[in-house]
C-alpha cells in the first residue's frame, strides 16, 4: 500500500525564516495533501496538489510535487510563531479516497 | 459554515467496556471517513462512508469495531469490548467526493476536512 513519509526531522527556526519539509511516497498517487496539527488540536487542511500538477501556492505556502521521484516539499515562507505545529503529508491513490499519512514533521518557530 | 465536529473530545474507559464515538460531518458532504492515531504511530485509515453505505472498510482492525452512518448524516464508531491497544486519537473527516475530469480521466478528489479528534484512553 502507498504511504506518505516525511523526512524524519524536527525543524527549529527563527521567526521570519523559511521552513522546508519533504515527503516521499512509494506508489503512484492521485493527490497529495498537506495538513497542519497544532498541539492537541485537530488536523487543518493546508493544500491539495494533484498528480498532474507540479507546484501550487497558497498564501505563504508553496508545495511542489515530483512524481518521478515520488516526493513533495512544503515551503513556509516568512515563518511566524503561530506556524509552530506538526505537518503531515497524506496521499491517496487511484480507485479510493483513503489517505495514507506520514509520521509528521515538527516545526518550532522561535519568536 | 460549521466544520467537522466530534464527541466526546476525550474518553477514559476500562478494558472490556464499550465506547461510542460520534462524528458530525460538514453539511452536504456525502463522504465521511474515520482514521486513528495510536501512540507513536502514523495516522491510519479505518473506513469510508459514501452517504450511508460503507465504501471501504479495509482499515478496520477487527470485529470489535463497528461503524454506522444511519441516514447518511452523522456517524458513530463503537468499540466493544475495548482493549488497551485501542487507546489513541480517533479522527473523523468529510469531503465532497470526487469527479472524473473531462478527457484526462483524472479523478479529482476533494479535500478531506478533519475534526478535532476524540482521545480514547483505555485503562
Amino acid at each position: 500500500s502507498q504511504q506518505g513519509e516525511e523526512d524524519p526531522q524536527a525543524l527549529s527556526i527563527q521567526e521570519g525564516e523559511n521552513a522546508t519539509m519533504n515527503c516521499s511516497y512509494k506508489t503512484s498517487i492521485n493527490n497529495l495533501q498537506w495538513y497542519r496539527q497544532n498541539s492537541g488540536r485537530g488536523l487543518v487542511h493546508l493544500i491539495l496538489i494533484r498528480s498532474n500538477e507540479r507546484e501550487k501556492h497558497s498564501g505563504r505556502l508553496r508545495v511542489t510535487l515530483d512524481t518521478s521521484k515520488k516526493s513533495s516539499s512544503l515551503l513556509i515562507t516568512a515563518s511566524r510563531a503561530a506556524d509552530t505545529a506538526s505537518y503531515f503529508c497524506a496521499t491517496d491513490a487511484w480507485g479510493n479516497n483513503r489517505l495514507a499519512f506520514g509520521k509528521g514533521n515538527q516545526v518550532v518557530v522561535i519568536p | 459554515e460549521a466544520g467537522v465536529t466530534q464527541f466526546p473530545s476525550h474518553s477514559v474507559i476500562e478494558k472490556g467496556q464499550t465506547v461510542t464515538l460520534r462524528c458530525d460531518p460538514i453539511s452536504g458532504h456525502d463522504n465521511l471517513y474515520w482514521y486513528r492515531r495510536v501512540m507513536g504511530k502514523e495516522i491510519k485509515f479505518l473506513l469510508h462512508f459514501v452517504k450511508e453505505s460503507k465504501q471501504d472498510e479495509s482499515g478496520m482492525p477487527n470485529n470489535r469495531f463497528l461503524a454506522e452512518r444511519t441516514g447518511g448524516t452523522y456517524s458513530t464508531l463503537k468499540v466493544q469490548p475495548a482493549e488497551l491497544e485501542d487507546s489513541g486519537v480517533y479522527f473523523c473527516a468529510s469531503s465532497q467526493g470526487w469527479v472524473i475530469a473531462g478527457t484526462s480521466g483524472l479523478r479529482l478528489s476533494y479535500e478531506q476536512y478533519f475534526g478535532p479528534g476524540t482521545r480514547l484512553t483505555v485503562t
Side-chain angles (χ1 to χ4, degrees), chain A residues 3 30-31 33 35 37 42-43 45 50-52 88 92-99 101-103, chain B residues 31 33 35 37 42-43 45 48 56 58 91 98 105-116:
Chain A
Q3 182 176 16
N30 192 34
N31 306 282
Q33 305 185 50
Y35 290 85
Q37 185 181 30
L43 293 164
H45 187 271
R50 306 197 186 282
S51 60
N52 64 344
F88 297 88
D92 68 76
W94 294 98
N96 66 72
N97 282 20
R98 59 179 179 265
L99 295 180
F101 281 83
K103 292 183 174 62
Chain B
N31 292 267
Y33 313 83
Y35 295 83
R37 187 180 192 189
E42 57 266 36
I43 300 166
F45 167 84
H48 168 205
D56 180 355
S58 61
F91 292 102
W98 53 270
L106 196 67
R107 184 171 72 93
L108 302 180
S109 298
Y110 288 97
E111 295 83 348
Q112 293 187 25
Y113 295 96
F114 281 72

Side-chain angles (χ1 to χ4, degrees), chain B residues 8-28:
Chain B
S9 58
H10 193 181
S11 179
V12 181
I13 62 171
E14 293 182 354
K15 177 182 173 181
Q17 290 186 323
T18 298
V19 64
T20 300
L21 314 181
R22 173 172 170 143
C23 168
D24 286 77
I26 293 172
S27 178

Side-chain angles (χ1 to χ4, degrees), chain A residues 2-110:
Chain A
Q2 64 178 351
Q3 182 176 16
E5 294 185 2
E6 293 82 12
D7 276 355
Q9 59 180 326
L11 296 174
S12 183
I13 58 175
Q14 294 290 325
E15 197 166 33
E17 293 180 339
N18 296 342
T20 300
M21 59 209 84
N22 300 301
C23 164
S24 61
Y25 53 91
K26 297 176 181 175
T27 60
S28 295
I29 64 168
N30 192 34
N31 306 282
L32 187 144
Q33 305 185 50
W34 282 92
Y35 290 85
R36 182 187 74 225
Q37 185 181 30
N38 295 88
S39 180
R41 309 288 289 277
L43 293 164
V44 174
H45 187 271
L46 297 177
I47 199 162
L48 178 152
I49 186 165
R50 306 197 186 282
S51 60
N52 64 344
E53 298 176 316
R54 293 295 166 259
E55 188 171 312
K56 207 161 183 179
H57 296 255
S58 177
R60 294 183 297 111
L61 305 179
R62 182 171 78 94
V63 169
T64 63
L65 179 64
D66 187 336
T67 53
S68 67
K69 295 181 179 178
K70 292 185 169 59
S71 67
S72 173
S73 69
L74 170 66
L75 167 68
I76 305 173
T77 60
S79 63
R80 304 168 182 169
D83 295 329
T84 294
S86 292
Y87 291 83
F88 297 88
C89 74
T91 57
D92 68 76
W94 294 98
N96 66 72
N97 282 20
R98 59 179 179 265
L99 295 180
F101 281 83
K103 292 183 174 62
N105 261 321
Q106 177 65 40
V107 175
V108 175
V109 181
I110 302 167

Side-chain angles (χ1 to χ4, degrees), chain B residues 83-111:
Chain B
E83 298 290 343
L84 298 179
E85 63 265 25
D86 301 332
S87 295
V89 181
Y90 289 76
F91 292 102
C92 175
S94 71
S95 75
Q96 291 180 299
W98 53 270
V99 294
I100 298 294
T103 57
S104 72
L106 196 67
R107 184 171 72 93
L108 302 180
S109 298
Y110 288 97
E111 295 83 348

